[in-house]
Amino acid sequence: MSRFKYSVGPWNVHEGADAYGPSTRESITLEEKIKKFKEIGFDAVQFHDDDAVPNMNNLTEAEIIEEAKKVKALLDKYEMKAEFVAPRLWMDSKTTDGAFTSNSDSDREFAMWRAFRSIDIANALGCDKIVLWLAREGTICYESKSPVESVKKLIDAINKMLDYDKNIKIMIETKPNEPVDRSVCPTMGHAMAVSAATIDPSRVGGLLESAHAILAGLDPASEIGFATSMGKIWGVHLNDQNGMKFDQDKSFGVENLRQAFNQIKVLMENNFGANGEYIGLDVKVMRTEKQEGSYKHLENSLKIAKMLEAKAEKFDYDFQKKCIKERDYEALEMYVMELLMKG
Ligand code: GLO
Ligand code: MG
């Protein structure tokens, strides 16, 4: 029995296309995915705005809410919750050069329209959280955008969202690079600073993804710890990553088990989930996997997370104290390795 509730997004079951090659698996419908997520043991679904409401650019504001209500009925049918809605601003042809921080006035206006619609969709799905993964907020040409104005534009956009709905909470999902190579908000420290500069810091927090921390050369558990110290870790995307390469979204724990253990441990020690937060598993199955393996990475990640919970339960805090007292960190480190490696 896990102490945590787990969530997942429809994008975590995908057709296998990457930047260098086409799909290797068939598409699966949203309903089928939700049904399967429930069977595997997930409690909630994460949505992009257009996962819930496809073709939303062509619908009226009232129609968007109507469509979102149909998805809420689907969630109810399978006794699943919605965790958050994230405006998918990086995919749209109207935000080619970024969204909230674009150089184009009309693109920035469109981004605000989508951000407000995400809030409407969240309300229709019965959740109060918006995630901002700021994919194209940054640049690959330094001179094209001011690093000062970009941050101000981002804060301004978040303020407008906070003003639009007095109950909505915003989680900034930080990522240092890809698809841009200089992000305006690359780490939890940046997210916390942006939060503090908004009109209501109590409603702006962070979502830490393991792979994104690794891509920044940082330790995911320490990033979680930093945001936790501010009372602002409201979501996590646990996964793994083989060093500072492209964003791999590998199954949780498969590359660095000790680092994965410490993520679970810091979440447990700080009572993550006590205010209804979910552990999200933002993982992708390998391109080589066949159709019937479409969900294997989710089953594996969930299993690994729960096994690490059990390991963290066993952690001997008295022995830790003794090692700290004696300044014997070699002994402490070996204890952790044995804890992880013994059955
Ligand atoms: C990509 C991000 C992405 C987000 C998702 C929700 O690197 O991790 O998967 O988590 O769009 O914001
Ligand atoms: Mg993510």
Side-chain angles (χ1 to χ4, degrees), residues 11 48 84 86 90 131 133 173 175 209 212 237 247 282:
W11 62 88
H48 293 133
F84 66 68
W90 57 93
V131 162
W133 171 43
E173 180 178 351
K175 185 173 181 181
E209 172 163 326
H212 298 178
H237 273 177
D247 189 4
D282 197 2

Side-chain angles (χ1 to χ4, degrees), residues 76-291:
D76 290 347
K77 179 171 167 193
Y78 295 102
E79 294 176 336
M80 292 287 265
K81 300 278 182 216
E83 183 192 3
F84 66 68
V85 178
R88 184 148 42 187
L89 295 166
W90 57 93
M91 282 281 196
D92 205 283
S93 60
K94 296 199 183 86
T95 52
T96 302
D97 188 29
F100 303 131
T101 66
S102 169
N103 282 329
S104 149
D105 293 347
S106 61
D107 285 8
R108 287 203 310 281
E109 248 167 61
F110 171 77
M112 274 334 297
W113 182 82
R114 282 282 288 255
F116 295 149
R117 300 295 74 75
S118 297
I119 296 174
D120 294 347
I121 294 170
N123 283 326
L125 295 181
C127 68
D128 65 353
K129 288 200 181 100
I130 296 294
V131 162
L132 296 182
W133 171 43
L134 302 165
R136 295 189 198 277
E137 313 295 9
T139 184
I140 52 172
C141 174
Y142 179 84
E143 295 79 9
S144 72
K145 285 177 187 152
S146 154
V148 178
E149 290 311 313
S150 295
V151 177
K152 289 184 178 168
K153 280 179 183 151
L154 173 62
I155 293 166
D156 191 47
I158 293 175
N159 283 343
K160 285 181 181 145
M161 293 171 74
L162 294 170
D163 199 40
Y164 178 76
D165 182 323
K166 300 289 185 282
N167 294 314
I168 208 75
K169 294 193 185 73
I170 294 166
M171 299 193 275
I172 302 177
E173 180 178 351
T174 54
K175 185 173 181 181
N177 62 289
E178 207 189 23
V180 290
D181 70 357
R182 293 175 186 88
S183 160
V184 291
C185 206
T187 70
M188 275 299 123
H190 293 81
M192 300 298 104
V194 166
S195 164
T198 63
I199 53 172
D200 189 355
S202 73
R203 289 195 286 136
V204 185
L207 182 152
L208 187 276
E209 172 163 326
S210 328
H212 298 178
I214 297 165
L215 285 170
L218 297 171
D219 172 64
S222 303
E223 281 281 271
I224 292 171
F226 184 83
T228 301
S229 74
M230 311 272 156
K232 285 186 184 296
I233 193 79
W234 301 340
V236 287
H237 273 177
L238 301 188
N239 58 15
D240 214 345
Q241 171 76 21
N242 178 21
M244 292 164 82
K245 301 192 171 106
F246 58 95
D247 189 4
Q248 297 181 304
D249 291 335
K250 296 193 78 171
S251 288
F252 180 53
V254 298
E255 290 293 337
N256 191 333
L257 196 60
R258 182 178 174 193
Q259 199 171 256
F261 167 71
N262 281 314
Q263 291 171 69
I264 293 289
K265 183 167 166 289
V266 72
L267 291 169
M268 281 172 62
E269 286 172 349
N270 292 283
N271 234 342
F272 181 83
N275 300 310
E277 301 93 348
Y278 295 92
I279 290 188
L281 296 172
D282 197 2
V283 291
K284 299 249 169 68
V285 83
M286 288 180 239
R287 186 169 187 268
T288 42
E289 202 58 30
K290 305 206 179 69
Q291 188 71 20

